[in-house]
Amino acid sequence: MPHKLVQSDLSAPAEGSDSGVGAVQGPSPDAGNGSAVDGKLASRVARRIEADIVRAGWPVGRMLGSENELRERYGISRSVLREAIRLLEHHQVGKMRRGPGGGFFVTALDSGPATRAIVIYLEYLGTGVEDLMYARLLLEPLAAAGAARRAGEDDIGLLRQALDQERSREWEPGIEAHDSLHPLLGQISGNPALQLFVHVLTRFTERYADDLRRLSRSELDRTRAGAAEAHRAIVESVIAGDADHASNHMARHIESVTGWLGDHQRRRSFTHLNRPPAAADLQDAKLSEVLASRIHEEIAYRGWPIGEVLGSEPDLLARYQVSRAALREAVRILEYHSVAAMRRGPGGGLVVTVPDPAASIETMALYLDYQKVSVEDLRVVREAIELGCIDRVIARRHEPGVADRLRAALQVDASTPPADINRLSHVLHTELGELSGNPVLALFLRIVTDLAYRHAHAHAEQQTSADRDISDEEAATAAGRIHGRIVEAILEGDSGLARHRMRRHLEAITAWWH
């Protein structure tokens, strides 16, 4: 008999909290006033249920409650709850089971849907090989070093198996960019954030390489021989526990791959792709998920024609041979990710929209919470990304608007209201990502700062004024001062000093969380 997750297992926030966690306090006045309002309310409810699950330690297999119990607990209508459940099922947070003993059950989270959405969004932005490989150069040496520090006997067996599989792979006339070693090193590193980002980067490289020119047998043999030698050196360093050598070998390998990709590319962006959707990625998904992913992919392959009508509902039903219910659920998923929206009336249909990565960023942060990412894990990854951003921003500091945007991002000082300190403290960090000009770094930084904000907010809620080493005013003053000094060093072009100040700042934040 399933264990029911009762209300006492889920810590609700104080009444009136706007933190996005805990149960909705009573019926919403917006409920039932229209599909748009219902959709927004459903999204808020879904986020609060997710936060409750995180607070409960992500108890996989437990039941949150029946449909009626959840409606009563969150004070919402049946239609809003069912829309929220669809979003939760899309995130793979849980699953509604019908019939006797049924209810909403917590499930193990999978990063697959959000990973696919993030990769396609980066393609939409026209991310180039230089941006992609710069991100890999920042993060993958860290993964190799982390793997060297903690690899055990079983990990060594997996690493050698990966090398053996690489050597025995059959020759094909195209390019095989994807290999198992890089994601495996992320996994062995024990850092969930590194593992997730390396997986995204590897998938992204695979899709980029699919757009390269075809290779001859001799070219592919030379390429594979060089990669195999680099991989062998990395693996041997990991097995020997030599973190420095593992990191250095990985950095040289990434630099080599960067040059190779630059020499073999046919075009400089991902805007137009012409390979079929990767159905293997979707084989375990429900029909609506498959359909949403397929439409998402097709929009990307067509160059993301904003405003174009893909077809009316009858057109789409005939094209994809699915039920109306499956199509409408797929459309909800696409609308949630701002990929496309259904427009009613004459000349209406499914319209391509400007994509918004917010939903995927939220899902990624949620996945890292599920993986129990630690504040130290986040610091390691965030430091690598932010120091890389600083170098890029320094190179662009004389461009119009850069200095003004940096100064405008300094939004914390002694007068900042305590409730706004955490939120406004992250403005400078996310702005550094945007000003770096690297879409990959900007997106990854949004993920880690979103999760950092959640942790900081939860930490602040748990503390009383007596627990704090410094007052809110002192904390705001300190944050404002260090942010100002970081910006000062950037605008002076002093990379070493800016990096030093940022590193010390992130260490102080981590110590405060602990």
Side-chain angles (χ1 to χ4, degrees), residues 154-168 180 184:
D154 291 343
D155 298 319
I156 290 171
L158 291 173
L159 288 167
R160 287 181 169 160
Q161 181 181 356
L163 292 182
D164 290 341
Q165 289 174 343
E166 184 177 296
R167 283 192 292 268
S168 62
S180 60
L184 179 58

Side-chain angles (χ1 to χ4, degrees), residues 42-100:
S43 180
R44 293 199 299 270
V45 172
R47 286 197 300 271
R48 291 179 175 183
I49 293 174
E50 289 168 349
D52 286 346
I53 291 171
V54 170
R55 287 188 173 200
W58 213 289
V60 174
R62 292 189 189 177
M63 186 173 73
L64 278 173
S66 67
E67 183 177 277
N68 287 337
E69 288 169 335
L70 293 173
R71 284 180 55 203
E72 181 178 351
R73 183 182 307 162
Y74 291 97
I76 52 177
S77 68
R78 177 176 283 103
S79 63
V80 170
L81 176 63
R82 289 183 175 179
E83 183 70 15
I85 293 299
R86 288 188 185 100
L87 294 175
L88 293 167
E89 290 181 334
H90 172 57
H91 289 170
Q92 300 183 349
V93 170
K95 180 75 175 176
M96 180 63 80
R97 297 181 193 168
R98 307 297 176 184

Side-chain angles (χ1 to χ4, degrees), residues 329-397:
E329 189 167 345
V331 169
R332 288 188 186 96
I333 294 169
L334 294 170
E335 290 177 336
Y336 181 64
H337 288 281
S338 299
V339 172
M342 188 62 77
R343 186 170 64 198
R344 307 297 176 184
L350 189 62
V351 181
V352 179
T353 57
V354 177
D356 182 355
S360 295
I361 289 170
E362 181 181 340
T363 306
M364 288 287 200
L366 189 67
Y367 176 77
L368 291 175
D369 257 333
Y370 164 69
Q371 292 290 341
K372 295 180 170 55
V373 66
S374 71
V375 291
E376 179 60 20
D377 292 333
L378 286 176
R379 186 200 63 79
V380 168
V381 174
R382 185 175 177 181
E383 180 180 291
I385 295 172
E386 294 216 45
L387 296 185
C389 288
I390 281 175
D391 290 343
R392 288 299 183 95
V393 175
I394 285 177
R396 302 183 61 203
R397 69 189 186 279

Side-chain angles (χ1 to χ4, degrees), residues 9-286:
D9 292 322
L10 302 172
S11 302
E15 186 172 352
S17 168
D18 61 355
S19 66
V21 297
V24 179
Q25 302 297 321
S28 166
D30 295 335
N33 289 343
S35 59
V37 173
D38 283 358
K40 292 178 181 178
L41 178 57
S43 180
R44 293 199 299 270
V45 172
R47 286 197 300 271
R48 291 179 175 183
I49 293 174
E50 289 168 349
D52 286 346
I53 291 171
V54 170
R55 287 188 173 200
W58 213 289
V60 174
R62 292 189 189 177
M63 186 173 73
L64 278 173
S66 67
E67 183 177 277
N68 287 337
E69 288 169 335
L70 293 173
R71 284 180 55 203
E72 181 178 351
R73 183 182 307 162
Y74 291 97
I76 52 177
S77 68
R78 177 176 283 103
S79 63
V80 170
L81 176 63
R82 289 183 175 179
E83 183 70 15
I85 293 299
R86 288 188 185 100
L87 294 175
L88 293 167
E89 290 181 334
H90 172 57
H91 289 170
Q92 300 183 349
V93 170
K95 180 75 175 176
M96 180 63 80
R97 297 181 193 168
R98 307 297 176 184
F104 188 73
F105 288 79
V106 180
T107 58
L109 192 60
D110 176 16
S111 65
T115 296
R116 286 192 294 272
I118 288 288
V119 168
I120 293 174
Y121 177 73
L122 288 171
E123 290 176 348
Y124 162 76
L125 293 177
T127 305
V129 64
E130 297 85 359
D131 292 329
L132 165 63
M133 300 309 292
Y134 183 71
R136 292 190 68 170
L137 187 59
L138 292 177
L139 297 177
E140 294 207 44
L142 284 178
R149 294 187 185 99
R150 69 182 303 276
E153 291 279 346
D154 291 343
D155 298 319
I156 290 171
L158 291 173
L159 288 167
R160 287 181 169 160
Q161 181 181 356
L163 292 182
D164 290 341
Q165 289 174 343
E166 184 177 296
R167 283 192 292 268
S168 62
R169 184 183 301 157
E170 291 295 325
W171 179 84
E172 293 180 10
I175 168 65
E176 298 171 284
H178 180 76
D179 61 72
S180 60
L181 179 63
H182 293 266
L184 179 58
L185 290 169
Q187 174 187 323
I188 295 172
S189 76
N191 184 321
L194 267 181
Q195 181 180 356
L196 178 63
F197 290 157
V198 169
H199 177 64
V200 171
L201 292 170
T202 306
R203 285 285 304 275
F204 199 12
T205 307
E206 178 185 13
R207 290 170 69 94
Y208 185 92
D210 281 340
D211 202 34
L212 299 177
R213 65 178 178 82
R214 307 293 276 180
L215 300 180
S216 67
R217 176 65 182 264
S218 60
E219 285 179 308
L220 187 57
D221 283 344
R222 288 195 300 272
T223 299
R224 289 177 59 180
E229 178 60 25
H231 287 176
R232 185 198 61 77
I234 294 167
V235 168
E236 290 306 316
S237 295
V238 170
I239 292 173
D242 192 333
D244 289 340
H245 275 88
S247 176
N248 291 336
H249 283 307
M250 178 61 80
R252 286 198 293 270
H253 175 45
I254 296 297
E255 289 169 350
S256 175
V257 173
T258 301
W260 187 92
L261 287 171
D263 291 342
H264 290 79
Q265 63 182 322
R266 288 189 299 188
R267 41 188 177 265
R268 300 186 62 81
S269 78
F270 296 94
T271 307
H272 300 289
L273 303 173
N274 45 32
R275 64 177 179 83
D281 292 341
L282 308 172
Q283 59 189 3
D284 295 328
K286 59 189 296 189

Side-chain angles (χ1 to χ4, degrees), residues 323-496:
S323 68
R324 181 172 278 103
L327 175 62
R328 288 182 175 178
E329 189 167 345
V331 169
R332 288 188 186 96
I333 294 169
L334 294 170
E335 290 177 336
Y336 181 64
H337 288 281
S338 299
V339 172
M342 188 62 77
R343 186 170 64 198
R344 307 297 176 184
L350 189 62
V351 181
V352 179
T353 57
V354 177
D356 182 355
S360 295
I361 289 170
E362 181 181 340
T363 306
M364 288 287 200
L366 189 67
Y367 176 77
L368 291 175
D369 257 333
Y370 164 69
Q371 292 290 341
K372 295 180 170 55
V373 66
S374 71
V375 291
E376 179 60 20
D377 292 333
L378 286 176
R379 186 200 63 79
V380 168
V381 174
R382 185 175 177 181
E383 180 180 291
I385 295 172
E386 294 216 45
L387 296 185
C389 288
I390 281 175
D391 290 343
R392 288 299 183 95
V393 175
I394 285 177
R396 302 183 61 203
R397 69 189 186 279
H398 296 306
E399 293 181 15
V402 171
D404 290 341
R405 286 178 62 179
L406 283 172
R407 294 189 181 102
L410 299 174
Q411 299 192 14
V412 179
D413 56 31
S415 64
T416 303
D420 294 334
I421 293 173
N422 288 330
R423 177 176 58 84
L424 295 178
S425 292
H426 291 288
V427 172
L428 174 63
H429 298 276
T430 53
E431 187 72 322
L432 285 172
E434 295 297 327
L435 288 174
S436 74
N438 185 315
V440 184
L441 296 186
L443 202 58
F444 285 1
L445 192 54
R446 281 184 64 183
I447 294 169
V448 294
T449 53
D450 179 78
L451 191 52
Y453 171 68
R454 294 184 190 200
H455 284 196
H457 189 88
H459 181 70
E461 280 192 329
Q462 292 167 5
Q463 285 188 318
T464 66
S465 58
D467 295 327
R468 297 173 186 168
D469 295 328
I470 58 175
S471 67
D472 290 324
E473 182 177 328
E474 289 171 326
T477 300
R481 182 170 58 250
I482 187 60
H483 284 182
R485 297 181 71 206
I486 290 169
V487 167
E488 176 186 276
I490 290 173
L491 293 179
E492 290 176 355
D494 193 333
S495 176

